[in-house]
Amino acid sequence: MSEASMEAASSNTPDLKPLLSCLRLQFHKDFTLKDAEALVEYFAGLGITHLYASPLWDARSGSTHGYDGVDPTRLNPEIGDEAALTHLVERLRSFGMGLIVDFVPNHLAVGGRENPWWLDVLRWGPSGRFADMFDINWRDNGDPTLDGRLLVPFLGEPYGQALVSGDMKLTLDESTGLFQVDYFEHCFPIDPRCHALMLLEGGMGEQARLFEQIEEAVSLEEGAERAGLALAEHVRTGEGRAALDTLLARYNPETPEGAERLHVLLERQHYRLAWWRTANDSLNWRRFFDITELGALRVDDPAVFAQTHVYLLELIERGLVDGVRLDHVDGLADPAGYCRLLRARVDEAATRRPGGAPETPLPIFVEKILEGNESLPLGWGVTGTTGYEFMNVVSKLQHDAEGEAPLKALWQSLSGREHSFEKEVIRARREIIDTALVTEFERAVRALSDVARHDPMTRDTTPAMIRRVLRELAVQFPIYRTYADDQGLAPRDENFFAHAVAAARESLTPPDQAVLDQIYDWLGGDAPANDDEPGCRQKRNAIVRFAQLTSPLAAKAVEDTAGYRSAVLISRNDVGFDGAHFACSTEDFHRFNAWQARHFPGTMVTTATHDHKRGEDVRARLAALSEWGDRWAEQVRGWLTASSSLRQSCDDASTPAGPSAAEEMMVYQLIVGAWPLTLSPDDGQGLEQFATRIADWQEKALREAKLNSHWLYPDEAHERQCREFVMTLLTDDRGAALRQSIYDVVTAVSPTGALNALVQTLLRMTVPGVPDCYQGTERWDFSLVDPDNRRPVDFNERREQLTQNRPMTELIDHWRDGCIKQALITQVLGLRQRLPTPFLHGDYQPLNFEGERAGQLIGFTREHEGQAVMVIATRHGGSLLEGDTLQIDASRWGNTRVKCSEDDARGWQSLVTGQAVNLQAPVSDLMSSLPFCVLFRDAASVTSNAEHAQQAETIHAESTQASVTPGDQMQSV
């Protein structure tokens, strides 16, 4: 869209609304920009102000998520071109809506043949234009065979076997006239400077001379292009084709001579082909976690930043993008510097948008895992995080601390493992650092060894000493990483580092303890700026390499290993969760939200993502089991006994076939948590589909746990037995009795789980921050880990449901169909648009309750300049519910009420009914029809009759017609 057309369009469409809510969409070839365009009206009716897109940039063919990008300077043609993006934005603008895009600064997909920058690096090595694009150790990488070369571990078998197998073939790309080695989906370019000798040996001297002149050209690329096109033209002749065929036959690896000739040619390249299993030990370039197909970028280099961000900034400048989500900033060398630079570039681009700069900075959200009491640094210039920390704290709020002891006792007595999540994490860290992340560990060891050698006082600190100490320090590190710079550790990081040093010291000998103190100083305890320039540079590099070790170590050990080994209640294990803490108090919850309101009022708030391990409503139902405690323990013990008849015979008669006790206990939790509300125990087809999903989840869980199977060496026999167990349990007549028993528990716990789910949804939309709704979760979300959580969404069904406009007081009676959840979202998001000020700028004040059920309520107010919203919701409601209803009998509340003055009690209206509410009335009156209530006051700003509150279309009409004033817009931090 041209600037002129954008300005013309903007004059005829509503103003862009402030960011009040967003909805995440996963784009791929089966859900395109055009598909999203057709759904914009539905999203607007739901109350969404911004769509939040997965990466739109060109990615590997068939990518289902976009995080394997190959070229950030163009859109992914599988999801749409610029015309499609323009049409989507035009449709969004017609409803006053915006677009937030996901951007991946840390890495691109490598291998294959689709990433032009990667192929250029392979072709030209350190002398190429893109040699500095990727984070490659061209020198001093610990392996003399890789001096000036990079390891390319994409072979399916050891190099020697692959060489003679015939799967590697020298070919000529006849569009460019350049040679390459093809290996299945991979392409390994041959340096054009090697072409001359090959052509001379093949009798093509005239073509060889052009390649001999490459280095005399204006650039290597220009010389290679000219020579290559001449060769391509030559091989289109009969003589040239015959010569080419002869040349290629000389490199046929299926003959001993051809294999030797091809090997010699490959040894002259800027890469060394290797078996994929060598990557964890020998890789000399940085990757994303332990995924060798994703190569890390050096966005700290200004040239790399400019090259990779030019198109993103262009789209912002043209008014096609209204905010950015940043993936995995903790992988970068300098996340703080990167975020501040991006903020400056985004703000600069925004000044050139059609219609001028926005009143407030465009939002920038960072994907950041905050561990324990860690908080996002305040000086990065970002709006906030993507919301994992809220997902964690609301989960803790809904878990009953009274259930922790019996559930821990159950797990420890039957699983054969300790109930301590911290110990599982430490054990997992030790395994990961010695297996999956050896190359990242050794890179940090080399960086610290460089520091040691620089100073005569420390040069006797050997790599072996550093290796022993660094391993223990990294294992004990409690957060993803620190952000030390030339001035040393920031105050926020000192306590975390001190914790790791103290814990590491306990496992080290006295001599190594002295090395530990030295390493602490090198990693920021002593400011690098205090050293000379070479010393400062080496310490800075060591700090970066340590951070790029601890970050993937935390991710792989916590969420991808310990989270699948410890399952006291697996709902407390998810991305960004603090699995060591089972529950939290209402006071903890309030402190968290008050801090967010003060420091990051525009942060994203979520309860479901494309990365979650269990859907938001699975976790909500499992949280309800924390209220069962001993009752759940008794149930599980009975199931473990009853399941023995479902196991297949095993060769070793002393070892039962199928899942271990721990694995079986996890399966029961997942089945109970994810059982669809519409699935009956005699629905054969439905059970088959559900069983397949559970079995697929279990296969992934077994490999992630790395106890009885593994991604790198799967135990196929054990996996098969576990799958057979699940399928028998859920689909076979032999499992009927146990299946019915499980279903009875699902039936009993589902109302409490649904209540938790609705309360979780309500809190997400009303606490400080911008609520993010993951695609499809406006109805019940019983998804599992990816790819299950990325299944197609039936938006037609949801759109039809939205048009029915039934009041929540009616829908609550039919809660199993999920309409109540969508209605709740629609009404509260509608309120956010009609009364935005308390949500954008309001403070956060906890409510206090009194009476016999005061501990089973959570409540707060958001107020700004006389406008206010109040939320009251049920917590740990299992003991309040009876039967299959979500409505709580008035007698259950007894004398419970809100503690407030007479003045504070006046002027409130109900969102659901539009009627005036006396806050001093008993809670039984406030929540007579629903297990929660939302109140607001300031009638001058809000049309408050019940019809407006209950009808989605009316809410949509009001929101799209409302004018937006500068004071309504979110202030970015």
Side-chain angles (χ1 to χ4, degrees):
M1 183 185 295
S2 68
E3 184 173 324
S5 63
M6 282 294 293
E7 289 179 344
S10 65
S11 65
N12 299 316
T13 57
D15 291 338
L16 181 63
K17 297 173 185 175
L19 176 55
L20 287 161
S21 59
C22 58
L23 185 138
R24 169 76 178 207
L25 291 176
Q26 294 296 117
F27 286 95
H28 45 79
K29 64 182 177 62
D30 296 319
F31 186 84
T32 66
L33 295 171
K34 186 176 181 180
D35 295 322
E37 181 189 348
L39 292 167
V40 168
E41 185 173 7
Y42 164 67
F43 298 140
L46 197 62
I48 300 300
T49 66
H50 286 64
L51 289 189
Y52 165 30
S54 64
L56 303 179
W57 327 105
D58 195 12
R60 275 188 174 147
S61 299
S63 174
T64 60
H65 47 75
Y67 290 102
D68 47 0
V70 296
D71 186 351
T73 67
R74 60 192 294 262
L75 297 177
N76 183 350
E78 292 187 347
I79 65 175
D81 56 14
E82 264 203 22
L85 177 62
T86 300
H87 291 150
L88 172 60
V89 172
E90 287 175 339
R91 185 63 172 158
L92 289 169
R93 290 293 190 268
S94 71
F95 290 89
M97 298 169 66
L99 177 66
I100 298 169
V101 297
D102 200 336
F103 189 77
V104 186
N106 181 71
H107 58 265
L108 290 173
V110 297
R113 59 184 70 228
E114 296 179 278
N115 186 329
W117 297 341
W118 175 255
L119 294 177
D120 192 87
V121 170
L122 296 186
R123 177 172 286 115
W124 298 108
S127 59
R129 291 178 298 169
F130 301 107
D132 294 330
M133 180 69 69
F134 297 94
D135 194 354
I136 301 169
N137 288 90
W138 293 105
R139 300 283 186 270
D140 301 322
N141 50 48
D143 185 344
T145 69
L146 293 176
D147 190 41
R149 307 171 77 194
L150 69 159
L151 189 74
V152 180
F154 296 124
L155 303 181
E157 55 189 338
Y159 170 76
Q161 296 175 27
L163 179 66
V164 300
S165 68
D167 293 328
M168 285 196 287
K169 299 183 186 303
L170 180 68
T171 64
L172 182 75
D173 181 346
E174 297 191 23
S175 65
T176 63
L178 300 179
F179 288 102
Q180 62 193 33
V181 170
D182 288 335
Y183 178 78
F184 297 103
E185 75 273 21
H186 297 286
C187 167
F188 306 120
I190 299 299
D191 187 336
R193 290 167 292 190
C194 295
H195 286 27
L197 181 59
M198 297 165 60
L199 293 169
L200 283 172
E201 292 175 347
M204 289 187 274
E206 184 177 345
Q207 285 69 40
R209 280 193 293 276
L210 289 174
F211 281 99
E212 290 174 339
Q213 298 167 6
I214 282 178
E215 294 185 321
E216 299 173 10
V218 174
S219 68
L220 292 174
E221 293 79 12
E222 192 272 337
E225 181 181 13
R226 185 172 65 246
L229 291 176
L231 177 59
E233 183 176 353
H234 178 64
V235 300
R236 284 193 284 270
T237 67
E239 177 187 356
R241 174 63 56 185
L244 174 64
D245 291 344
T246 300
L247 184 154
L248 296 178
R250 287 169 50 81
Y251 289 86
N252 180 0
E254 295 182 67
T255 66
E257 298 82 4
E260 175 63 21
R261 196 171 283 115
L262 181 60
H263 169 66
V264 170
L265 176 64
L266 287 171
E267 287 297 283
R268 296 175 60 201
Q269 304 312 305
H270 306 287
Y271 52 84
R272 195 188 95 201
L273 298 184
W275 188 24
W276 65 269
R277 288 190 183 275
T278 65
N280 288 346
D281 296 328
S282 304
L283 205 65
N284 64 329
W285 44 275
R286 188 166 61 87
R287 54 189 173 171
F288 172 68
F289 293 171
D290 60 344
I291 304 174
T292 309
E293 292 77 17
L294 298 176
L297 299 169
R298 294 184 59 245
V299 293
D300 53 302
D301 184 319
V304 177
F305 179 96
Q307 180 81 7
T308 53
H309 290 67
V310 60
Y311 191 48
L312 169 67
L313 295 172
E314 177 189 331
L315 294 179
I316 290 172
E317 179 177 332
R318 292 163 59 189
L320 293 172
V321 167
D322 307 298
V324 183
R325 183 257 198 197
L326 298 172
D327 183 70
H328 189 52
V329 294
D330 271 348
L332 307 182
D334 180 14
Y338 167 80
C339 288
R340 287 192 286 264
L341 177 60
L342 182 64
R343 165 54 70 198
R345 295 292 181 267
V346 167
D347 289 351
E348 180 183 357
T351 64
R352 297 188 291 272
R353 286 165 69 88
E359 293 288 338
T360 57
L362 296 180
I364 298 176
F365 302 102
V366 293
E367 184 200 29
K368 165 70 182 147
I369 304 296
L370 298 169
E371 298 280 6
N373 61 347
E374 183 186 11
S375 59
L376 186 66
L378 300 177
W380 285 12
V382 299
T383 312
T385 71
T386 55
Y388 293 137
E389 61 273 17
F390 174 79
M391 193 165 141
N392 176 42
V393 75
V394 76
S395 170
K396 289 194 290 186
L397 177 75
Q398 294 194 319
H399 281 72
D400 189 347
E402 294 295 320
E404 182 174 11
L407 293 176
K408 280 187 171 181
L410 169 71
W411 178 256
Q412 184 157 341
S413 65
L414 296 180
S415 70
R417 307 191 69 80
E418 295 189 51
H419 62 66
S420 169
F421 190 77
E422 297 101 319
K423 291 182 178 179
E424 287 286 15
V425 169
I426 294 298
R427 188 178 295 116
R429 284 174 177 270
R430 293 192 190 283
E431 295 174 17
I432 297 297
I433 205 170
D434 288 337
T435 54
L437 298 179
V438 171
T439 185
E440 288 75 14
F441 175 70
E442 290 297 332
R443 189 178 295 124
V445 169
R446 287 194 297 274
L448 286 165
S449 297
D450 289 342
V451 175
R453 286 191 292 267
H454 176 71
D455 188 344
M457 302 300 293
T458 60
R459 71 179 187 183
D460 286 344
T461 304
T462 67
M465 296 175 187
I466 291 172
R467 194 172 283 111
R468 289 193 298 270
V469 171
L470 184 65
R471 178 181 289 106
E472 198 60 34
L473 181 63
V475 162
Q476 300 293 344
F477 214 73
I479 58 176
Y480 264 55
R481 61 171 290 169
T482 63
Y483 303 99
D485 55 20
D486 286 359
Q487 305 309 311
L489 288 169
R492 69 178 295 280
D493 292 334
E494 288 178 351
N495 288 338
F496 298 118
F497 218 118
H499 166 88
V501 168
R505 191 178 302 278
E506 295 180 4
S507 301
L508 297 172
T509 64
D512 283 348
Q513 289 174 3
V515 177
L516 174 65
D517 293 333
Q518 186 64 70
I519 288 178
Y520 168 76
D521 286 342
W522 291 340
L523 293 178
D526 180 34
N530 294 336
D531 208 333
D532 58 22
E533 195 281 328
C536 178
R537 184 177 63 251
Q538 290 173 340
K539 288 181 179 178
R540 188 188 307 129
N541 181 56
I543 288 169
V544 169
R545 294 312 185 190
F546 179 67
Q548 291 172 338
L549 165 65
T550 58
S551 178
L553 180 59
K556 298 304 297 181
V558 180
E559 63 193 58
D560 287 346
T561 304
Y564 287 94
R565 293 180 176 182
S566 176
V568 171
L569 206 51
I570 205 167
S571 47
R572 286 299 305 132
N573 301 348
D574 218 302
V575 179
F577 277 30
D578 177 14
H581 294 90
F582 187 80
C584 76
S585 65
T586 56
E587 292 77 15
D588 292 332
F589 183 75
H590 289 317
R591 274 193 295 271
F592 169 84
N593 288 310
W595 194 92
Q596 295 284 74
R598 289 193 302 272
H599 299 289
F600 292 102
T603 192
M604 198 175 283
V605 178
T606 193
T607 48
T609 76
H610 63 283
D611 273 338
H612 67 232
K613 307 300 184 185
R614 280 151 290 281
E616 61 186 23
D617 300 330
V618 176
R619 296 194 309 272
R621 189 187 292 172
L622 289 175
L625 293 179
S626 68
E627 300 179 48
W628 284 39
D630 288 322
R631 181 181 173 191
W632 172 253
E634 180 183 356
Q635 200 75 60
V636 170
R637 291 178 191 276
W639 291 343
L640 288 171
T641 301
S643 69
S644 59
S645 62
L646 307 184
R647 297 176 180 274
Q648 301 294 323
S649 60
C650 186
D651 293 340
D652 180 359
S654 65
T655 304
S660 68
E663 292 161 352
E664 186 176 347
M665 291 165 72
M666 288 190 195
V667 166
Y668 292 141
Q669 288 189 32
L670 260 292
I671 291 175
V672 169
W675 191 293
L677 288 167
T678 56
L679 178 63
S680 67
D682 57 359
D683 178 357
Q685 183 178 359
L687 286 170
E688 184 77 26
Q689 294 173 349
F690 182 51
T692 300
R693 290 177 56 216
I694 295 293
D696 290 346
W697 169 86
Q698 187 182 40
E699 179 180 286
K700 184 168 186 174
L702 291 170
R703 295 181 181 184
E704 295 283 21
K706 307 170 187 68
L707 295 173
N708 295 319
S709 193
H710 200 287
W711 285 112
L712 302 185
Y713 37 89
D715 185 331
E716 295 179 359
H718 182 68
E719 291 180 357
R720 183 176 60 254
Q721 292 167 1
C722 289
R723 179 172 288 271
E724 289 172 354
F725 176 85
V726 169
M727 300 305 291
T728 301
L729 170 62
L730 291 175
T731 66
D732 194 275
D733 289 343
R734 288 176 293 159
L738 181 50
R739 184 162 64 245
Q740 182 63 50
S741 177
I742 293 173
Y743 179 73
D744 291 342
V745 171
V746 172
T747 301
V749 78
S750 288
T752 309
L755 172 58
N756 283 346
L758 293 175
V759 169
Q760 174 179 249
T761 300
L762 174 60
L763 296 177
R764 182 186 77 224
M765 295 187 293
T766 51
V767 299
V770 177
D772 166 36
C773 181
Y774 182 65
Q775 61 178 28
T777 60
E778 61 269 36
R779 295 188 63 176
W780 299 128
D781 172 28
F782 296 114
S783 63
L784 305 175
V785 72
D786 66 275
D788 191 79
N789 60 8
R790 301 172 189 175
R791 290 174 294 157
V793 177
D794 188 346
F795 282 114
N796 289 331
E797 182 180 39
R798 287 159 173 76
R799 181 161 45 192
E800 172 61 26
Q801 178 179 302
L802 188 63
T803 65
Q804 297 173 9
N805 299 323
R806 290 183 291 167
M808 281 197 287
T809 51
E810 174 188 328
L811 295 174
I812 195 73
D813 293 329
H814 311 283
W815 60 271
R816 287 180 173 271
D817 63 12
C819 293
I820 180 69
K821 186 180 180 185
Q822 187 190 55
L824 174 63
I825 291 171
T826 303
Q827 290 201 21
V828 176
L829 293 187
L831 177 65
R832 289 180 69 92
Q833 293 196 35
R834 291 153 49 209
L835 196 70
T837 302
F839 294 105
L840 291 173
H841 308 295
D843 62 2
Y844 180 93
Q845 297 297 330
L847 284 179
N848 294 312
F849 302 93
E850 58 186 357
E852 58 192 270
R853 298 287 188 175
Q856 290 177 273
L857 289 168
I858 183 77
F860 53 86
T861 59
R862 307 287 312 284
E863 185 167 3
H864 184 74
E865 295 182 350
Q867 295 184 334
V869 173
M870 178 180 293
V871 175
I872 302 173
T874 305
R875 177 178 180 242
H876 302 161
S879 62
L880 298 171
L881 296 175
E882 290 184 352
D884 198 47
T885 181
L886 300 191
Q887 292 175 306
I888 299 172
D889 188 88
S891 63
R892 292 283 184 172
W893 290 114
N895 63 351
T896 309
R897 63 181 63 240
V898 180
K899 292 175 67 175
C900 65
S901 67
E902 188 173 332
D903 287 342
D904 289 338
R906 287 198 296 262
W908 293 98
Q909 291 177 276
S910 167
L911 173 65
V912 175
T913 68
Q915 296 175 354
V917 172
N918 180 2
L919 203 57
Q920 291 186 323
V923 165
S924 58
D925 289 350
L926 297 177
M927 301 200 296
S928 59
S929 57
L930 295 170
F932 48 80
C933 69
V934 180
L935 311 176
F936 61 86
R937 67 180 175 190
D938 191 344
S941 299
V942 184
T943 303
S944 57
N945 60 67
E947 181 181 359
H948 284 171
Q950 295 169 8
Q951 295 184 6
E953 286 186 357
T954 306
I955 291 172
H956 163 61
E958 290 181 353
S959 65
T960 55
Q961 294 170 9
S963 62
V964 180
T965 64
D968 291 335
Q969 298 193 28
M970 180 186 71
Q971 301 295 321
S972 294
V973 177

